């Protein structure tokens, strides 16, 4: 692993940095810093306009192959783009699900018609997507999905409930894992459908989170419809496609997140110095520890991305997820200890949180979404350490044990 940019990568870094500096100006100067964790609702229209500017200038989907409108950038340059993006304090991206999850899935599994229809609007930042996987009884146990889809002539009719659906309130489309064969074994009867959100059969109810804002939602499908050919992969083979999508989560984006984490840590260090808390030996020790762990996280992430040309392999991805989710949660807890009694008081009424309070509250989610810590430990235990697998209860697709 070489930690220095090659000459090509250095030139790419300079180009990305210059473009961001030149373009985060005028109206877009206001967009800097918008939409951070716990403030995802901020500046939606401005961020959408920014998304379109990125798209027009070829700065979305930089890792997609050139034939699909991307830059075909190697992993090193995808990392550089993410790092420079966060370093410039550019606004949080809105179409993360479309660009990072659905796009690569369509490139791998979509029909030519699906690629023609959806990849360009995602790339141009004109079509937003959300991820309809989790349900009240299907989170870690995703194969327990109960939302069903039945064919009615040329259309699928979808009925059921999704939950924790991030950005559903803004999205034009949702990629939905549905049960299309209730009699098949759990993993075999699922399909991966592309469903338009703007129709009478779809109701979105935002969930108010601890931060006082609503990133995610409940989504109710009541005889919602989508066209028969909007299934990705084969009918009843959605499990394979759904897992492929999950493999695209994170990876190159994590290096950008680490730049953001470093900024949060610097903010905490400044708060500790201001409050006179750096004279407390225990807090000083803990501050040093989070600094060191963040440095290790960066090195480990670089190592895991070295030599790969696609999604990070599952055991390594689990180690990274467990590491950063736990690190960020610990940072939030440490921030509250550094603030002491001040941590209990809001900045202003009715619900104005300081940045550190917001980090503390939002980071509780980091050890849950994208696979909880316990699930990552199971994967590491079974696939890395070779420990005996978790006992499995055979269950039908209706959720009840079969024997
Ligand atoms: C901020 C946020 C955004 C999200 N966005 C989306 C989204 O856009 N789309 C979407 O589909 N979903 C989304 N999710 C849902 C997320 O994927 C689920 O929350 C996650 O998979 C856990 O599922 P669950 O909440 O149903 O918890 P459960 O699966 O019910 O787990 C409850 C607890 O039991 C533990 N547990 C479960 N199974 C095991 C096991 N086998 N061994 C040991 N422990 C176990 C878990 O670790 C957890 O502590 C989001 C979640 C959050 C917090």
């Amino acid at each position: 692993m070489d930690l220095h940019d090659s000459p090509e990568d250095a030139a790419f870094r300079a180009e990305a940095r210059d473009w961001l500096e030149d373009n985060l100006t005028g109206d877009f100067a206001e967009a800097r810093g918008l939409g951070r964790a716990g403030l995802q609702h901020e500046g939606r229209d401005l961020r959408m306009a920014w998304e379109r500017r990125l798209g027009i200038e070829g700065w979305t989907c930089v890792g997609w192959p050139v034939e699909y409108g991307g830059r075909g950038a190697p992993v090193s340059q995808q990392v550089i783009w993410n790092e420079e993006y966060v370093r410039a304090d550019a606004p949080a991206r809105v179409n993360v699900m479309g660009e990072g999850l659905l796009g690569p899935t369509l490139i791998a599994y979509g029909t030519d018609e699906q690629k023609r229809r959806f990849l360009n609007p995602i790339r141009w930042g004109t079509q937003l997507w959300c991820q309809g996987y989790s349900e009240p009884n299907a989170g870690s146990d995703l194969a327990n999905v109960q939302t069903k889809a039945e064919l009615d002539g040329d259309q699928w009719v979808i009925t059921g409930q999704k939950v924790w659906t991030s950005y559903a309130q803004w999205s034009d489309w949702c990629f939905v894992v549905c049960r299309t064969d209730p009699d098949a074994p759990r993993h075999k009867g699922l399909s991966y459908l592309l469903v338009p959100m703007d129709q009478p059969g779809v109701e979105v109810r935002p969930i108010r989170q601890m931060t006082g804002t609503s990133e995610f939602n409940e989504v109710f499908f009541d005889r919602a419809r989508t066209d028969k050919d909007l299934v990705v992969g084969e009918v009843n083979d959605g499990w394979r496609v759904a897992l492929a999508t999950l493999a695209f989560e994170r990876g190159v984006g994590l290096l950008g997140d680490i730049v953001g984490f470093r900024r949060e840590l610097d903010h905490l260090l400044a708060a500790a110095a201001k409050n006179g808390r750096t004279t407390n030996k225990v807090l000083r020790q803990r501050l040093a520890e989070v600094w060191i762990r963040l440095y290790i996280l960066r090195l480990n992430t670089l190592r895991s991305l070295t030599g790969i040309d696609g999604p990070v392999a599952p055991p390594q991805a689990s180690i990274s997820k467990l590491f950063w989710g736990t690190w960020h949660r610990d940072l939030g807890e440490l921030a509250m200890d550094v603030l002491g009694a001040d941590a209990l008081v809001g900045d202003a009424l009715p619900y104005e949180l300081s940045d550190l309070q917001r980090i503390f509250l939002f980071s509780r989610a980091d050890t849950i979404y994208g696979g909880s810590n316990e699930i990552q430990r199971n994967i590491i235990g079974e696939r890395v350490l070779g420990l005996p697998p978790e006992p499995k209860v055979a269950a039908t697709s209706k959720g009840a044990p079969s024997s």
Side-chain angles (χ1 to χ4, degrees), residues 36-37 39 211 261 263-275 287 328-340 342-343 345 347 352-364:
R36 279 164 297 161
L39 290 170
T211 48
F261 291 163
R263 187 173 297 146
E264 291 176 359
L265 177 53
D266 287 345
H267 184 55
L268 175 57
L269 290 169
K274 188 169 158 221
N275 291 6
L287 288 165
H328 204 216
R329 187 193 60 191
D330 291 353
L331 181 82
E333 288 176 1
L334 177 55
M336 296 303 95
D337 291 342
V338 163
L339 292 182
D342 288 349
V345 185
D347 260 5
E352 212 47 58
L353 299 170
S354 69
D355 283 345
L356 291 177
Q357 287 168 324
R358 196 174 299 109
I359 291 166
F360 167 65
L361 291 178
F362 194 82
S363 62
R364 310 309 296 179

Side-chain angles (χ1 to χ4, degrees), residues 19-49:
W19 187 87
L20 287 162
E21 273 314 306
D22 290 348
N23 284 273
L24 281 166
T25 52
D27 287 348
F28 291 127
E30 304 282 312
R32 283 187 195 250
L34 290 181
R36 279 164 297 161
L39 290 170
Q40 289 88 345
H41 62 291
E42 275 183 336
R44 180 201 142 154
D45 293 343
L46 188 56
R47 282 162 64 206
M48 289 292 297

Side-chain angles (χ1 to χ4, degrees), residues 40 97 130-142 162-168 175 209 215-216 249 362 364-375 378 390:
Q40 289 88 345
M97 307 284 183
C130 58
Q131 178 183 27
Y133 277 31
S134 304
E135 299 184 359
N137 288 312
S140 307
D141 186 15
L142 183 60
K162 297 290 172 180
V163 72
W164 318 127
T165 322
S166 301
Y167 299 111
F175 45 100
Q209 296 163 231
E215 175 203 335
F216 51 55
E249 271 188 345
F362 194 82
R364 310 309 296 179
D366 288 335
T367 55
I368 302 172
Y369 67 82
S372 69
N373 271 14
E374 290 75 18
I375 294 303
N378 282 348
E390 243 198 310

